[in-house]
Amino acid sequence: MRDKPNGTGGRVGVYVDGFNLYYGLKGMSHHRDLWLDLAGLARDLLRDGQSLERVRYFTAIVRNDRQAAARQRVYLAAVQSQGVEVVLGRFQEKYNRCRQCGMVWRSYEEKKTDAAIASSMVADAALGVVDVVLLVSADTDLCAPIEKIRAIDERRGHKTRIVSVFPPGKGADGLRRCSDAWLPLGQALIRRWQLPEVVCGPDGIEYRRPAYWN
């Protein structure tokens, strides 16, 4: 770990790369830990004198699997009921061709999530909404918006602290180098912040952990 994880003081924004986190959790324990309390985890990452300004979760609804999409929607509703802002991208259809045999097949490419994370972090830092950015991802494409924040900070004479939080089993040297600090999400922390089996929102609506995730 480089430097102190978060330093002290300031308003904290947490920006979660949903698919990067999902594949880290799935690689660690298959489906067992997917019912993750993002708001509780974010609060646990704060240090003395810090306040949680926002938690944003960036993802897209899965394609071609109705049951998986239904489970995902239940989870998104559950974390939203706990104060997490969900930002949805989309999957774009594309066609691939084999260079050797000429066979064509259809696949889907997730779009807009990286751009949404980048614009959200940069805008919040530039507008002075947050003093600390906690980026939950190991995607090195997000080094570019971090450098943009650095350039904005230099012009306005204010330092935004950037902390990269790596999902289980993931890491990225590029993010380590351009962040002020970094830390891994370990299994103990993930297990500590699982939502209860039934989440009751402030409006009284209940969201139940999908049985497939037990």
Side-chain angles (χ1 to χ4, degrees):
M1 185 182 300
R2 176 186 166 193
D3 203 354
K4 295 180 180 179
N6 274 351
T8 57
R11 299 156 299 167
V12 179
V14 181
Y15 307 82
V16 183
D17 181 342
F19 281 104
N20 208 264
L21 177 60
Y22 169 81
Y23 286 113
L25 294 174
K26 191 175 180 183
M28 179 180 74
S29 56
H30 199 43
H31 298 101
R32 176 177 175 179
D33 297 311
L34 296 180
W35 195 237
L36 182 62
D37 182 354
L38 293 171
L41 176 64
R43 289 191 296 270
D44 201 349
L45 293 174
L46 298 182
R47 295 299 178 259
D48 291 342
Q50 292 182 337
S51 61
L52 185 61
E53 184 68 24
R54 62 180 34 144
V55 183
R56 284 183 173 155
Y57 182 76
F58 300 82
T59 190
I61 301 299
V62 297
R63 292 288 301 265
N64 296 333
D65 189 332
R66 291 183 179 179
Q67 291 183 332
R71 291 190 295 269
Q72 185 184 21
R73 291 185 188 279
V74 170
Y75 177 66
L76 295 180
V79 296
Q80 280 181 299
S81 77
Q82 304 301 300
V84 174
E85 300 174 52
V86 174
V87 181
L88 290 178
R90 63 183 175 84
F91 281 93
Q92 180 173 299
E93 185 177 85
K94 68 174 185 177
Y95 290 88
N96 307 277
R97 181 184 297 274
C98 176
R99 293 181 179 179
Q100 294 181 338
C101 69
M103 185 180 73
V104 176
W105 69 96
R106 183 176 60 181
S107 64
Y108 295 92
E109 182 179 17
E110 190 274 324
K111 289 288 187 182
K112 293 189 176 180
T113 296
D114 285 356
I117 297 172
S119 62
S120 182
M121 291 193 307
V122 172
D124 287 351
L127 294 172
V129 176
V130 300
D131 305 297
V132 181
V133 166
L134 291 186
L135 171 62
V136 182
S137 181
D139 187 348
T140 54
D141 286 345
L142 295 170
C143 290
I146 291 176
E147 295 304 325
K148 179 68 173 178
I149 292 172
R150 300 294 190 213
I152 293 170
D153 284 351
E154 186 174 355
R155 289 198 298 269
R156 66 184 183 134
H158 174 81
K159 174 66 182 294
T160 302
R161 186 169 175 79
I162 311 289
V163 181
S164 289
V165 183
F166 296 134
K170 294 182 177 292
D173 288 340
L175 284 173
R176 288 188 180 96
R177 287 192 295 268
C178 67
S179 301
D180 294 297
W182 60 270
L183 66 151
L185 281 180
Q187 188 175 70
L189 190 61
I190 295 295
R191 294 276 166 85
R192 183 189 309 161
W193 291 108
Q194 292 294 299
L195 291 163
E197 290 295 313
V198 178
V199 175
C200 185
D203 53 4
I205 297 177
E206 294 184 346
Y207 308 97
R208 185 174 298 275
R209 178 191 181 105
Y212 188 69
W213 288 2
N214 291 325

